Amino acid sequence: MKRAYVSALGIMGRRHVVGLVRKGYHVDCFDPSDAAHEALAADLERNTLDKSMVQRVEAGTGAYHAAIFTEHADLRFGNVERFLGAAQAERVLLEKPLSSNPDEVEAYAGLFAQKGMSDAQISGNFTRRAWAPFHRLKAICDTADQVHMSVHGGAYGIGGNGIHHIDLFLYLTGDRATDVSNVELFEPTIRSGRGDRFVDYGGTFELRNDRGMMRNLCVPTSSVAPLVMITGENFSAIINERTLEWELAVRKPESSLPPYRCGADYEVIENGVMDYLPMDHVSGLWAEGEIELPNLSTILTAHRLLHECLEKAGVERPFRYT
């Protein structure tokens, strides 16, 4: 029998359970909220999945093929530590961010090492690395001398969601050593829908490495979804994160026009809604080894850059995003 464990049944956690049950897993679910378990039962019924495949537990016990942790960022490290004290898993998936406390982020490697788990057994849910459109875009980026990325949007939050953009930049530029500069946070802080103990941050920063640079602008008083542009010498990708529509254009190889003609000899090779992986499929595919998500050492890099941004802006540890 294939066993999995899911910690916390918010929207994301319930999607993970649906994906695991769809792949034939018996799932032990931890969440102290009766309402969360009722919502999960409704989600399973809506997807015509067998509710008997799911069991409510107070803690994980025994051996699991996969364990997924989806709770608020300030609770995740403690829940992982508690799980590892009584159970074990062949693979662990951690929702982003790993923690809003940089000290806990750095402690994860030692925590898993104590259980004899390797870096490769731990994955982070930076799913853009598993999307086919970004695989195709990376292949184009690999041909460019320099890659430039800009992110412009409203109150999506640098901490809770902006870390995805940081990781995408790292992925598209080959996970090179990267520096943070020109950090400025804006007022007010961003309210969280997950409770008064959380806030997030808007502002601007730059990342640079030897393959390119990224500029981020997050406006805390705006409700606009992020617009992302990624360019090289002879290509452009524009992504609307509200609709997940995109346009990927490249310069015609036979073009002899000079660069100042501003895209006159470009052709669109892809457009429309990206063929992305919905979250209620990612977890099951990951558990079965049908897709790969970045390992612990890879996802630590994005967290460190995020924390460097906040510290350069004068935000005190521990942070309060989730």
Side-chain angles (χ1 to χ4, degrees):
M1 182 177 71
K2 297 190 295 187
R3 297 183 72 213
Y5 176 83
V6 173
S7 178
L9 296 177
I11 293 174
M12 200 65 70
R14 299 197 304 272
R15 289 174 179 168
H16 284 306
V17 175
V18 166
L20 290 165
V21 173
R22 190 181 283 126
K23 286 289 190 178
Y25 282 83
H26 293 260
V27 186
D28 285 354
C29 299
F30 165 72
D31 195 303
S33 167
D34 293 337
H37 289 273
E38 292 168 3
L40 174 60
D43 287 351
L44 293 168
E45 187 172 343
R46 189 178 306 112
N47 286 275
T48 63
L49 295 171
D50 185 358
K51 289 186 283 188
S52 69
M53 299 283 283
V54 171
Q55 179 178 353
R56 181 175 184 171
V57 299
E58 296 303 317
T61 57
Y64 294 93
H65 180 78
I68 301 177
F69 294 85
T70 75
E71 53 281 291
H72 294 156
D74 60 341
L75 300 175
R76 186 160 300 125
F77 183 86
N79 283 351
V80 172
E81 186 174 39
R82 184 169 67 104
F83 172 85
L84 293 177
Q88 59 186 11
E90 295 176 27
R91 309 186 79 193
V92 170
L93 177 60
L94 302 173
E95 276 292 348
K96 61 79 194 167
L98 300 185
S99 171
S100 50
N101 184 339
D103 294 334
E104 290 183 347
V105 169
E106 298 302 329
Y108 270 106
L111 185 63
F112 288 115
Q114 289 174 8
K115 293 288 288 188
M117 299 183 70
S118 69
D119 184 79
Q121 290 177 272
I122 317 304
S123 299
N125 200 19
F126 288 168
T127 56
R128 286 163 173 78
R129 290 185 183 237
W131 291 6
F134 288 124
H135 293 173
R136 299 192 292 272
L137 178 57
K138 177 170 170 50
I140 296 174
C141 288
D142 286 347
T143 69
D145 290 334
Q146 291 285 300
V147 175
H148 293 88
M149 176 173 168
S150 65
V151 183
H152 189 142
Y156 59 86
I158 293 173
N161 289 303
I163 194 170
H164 277 301
H165 301 126
I166 294 174
D167 182 69
L168 179 60
F169 172 74
L170 293 172
Y171 173 64
L172 294 177
T173 56
D175 290 299
R176 305 297 183 94
T178 299
D179 297 319
V180 175
S181 61
N182 297 325
V183 182
E184 179 186 0
L185 295 189
F186 302 155
E187 295 292 343
T189 53
I190 298 169
R191 292 178 57 193
S192 170
R194 296 178 177 175
D196 291 340
R197 74 181 190 271
F198 300 116
V199 297
D200 209 331
Y201 314 93
T204 183
F205 63 84
E206 292 183 4
L207 303 180
R208 292 177 183 264
N209 61 35
D210 64 356
R211 288 290 323 287
M213 68 173 294
M214 167 189 164
R215 285 194 178 97
N216 176 91
L217 177 62
C218 172
V219 182
T221 54
S222 169
S223 61
V224 173
L227 294 173
V228 180
M229 175 175 280
I230 300 154
T231 64
E233 293 90 339
N234 298 307
F235 75 88
S236 68
I238 303 171
I239 304 161
N240 182 338
E241 291 198 355
R242 180 177 64 84
T243 61
L244 286 181
E245 292 177 288
W246 80 322
E247 178 186 282
L248 176 59
V250 298
R251 191 183 194 194
K252 295 177 182 178
E254 69 275 12
S255 175
S256 59
L257 293 176
Y260 62 76
R261 290 295 302 275
C262 298
D265 254 358
Y266 272 64
E267 60 181 344
V268 175
I269 61 173
E270 293 196 43
N271 61 8
V273 178
M274 304 179 89
D275 51 328
Y276 67 96
L277 282 172
M279 189 52 60
D280 60 345
H281 289 269
V282 166
S283 45
L285 294 170
W286 164 81
E288 293 288 276
E290 297 176 27
I291 61 168
E292 291 299 324
L293 296 173
N295 61 23
L296 181 61
S297 61
T298 300
I299 61 179
L300 284 176
T301 302
H303 285 77
R304 289 165 180 159
L305 291 171
L306 168 63
H307 295 158
E308 186 177 349
C309 285
L310 297 178
E311 289 175 337
K312 283 187 173 181
V315 182
E316 294 184 1
R317 298 184 176 201
F319 307 122
R320 294 175 58 196
Y321 60 78
T322 187

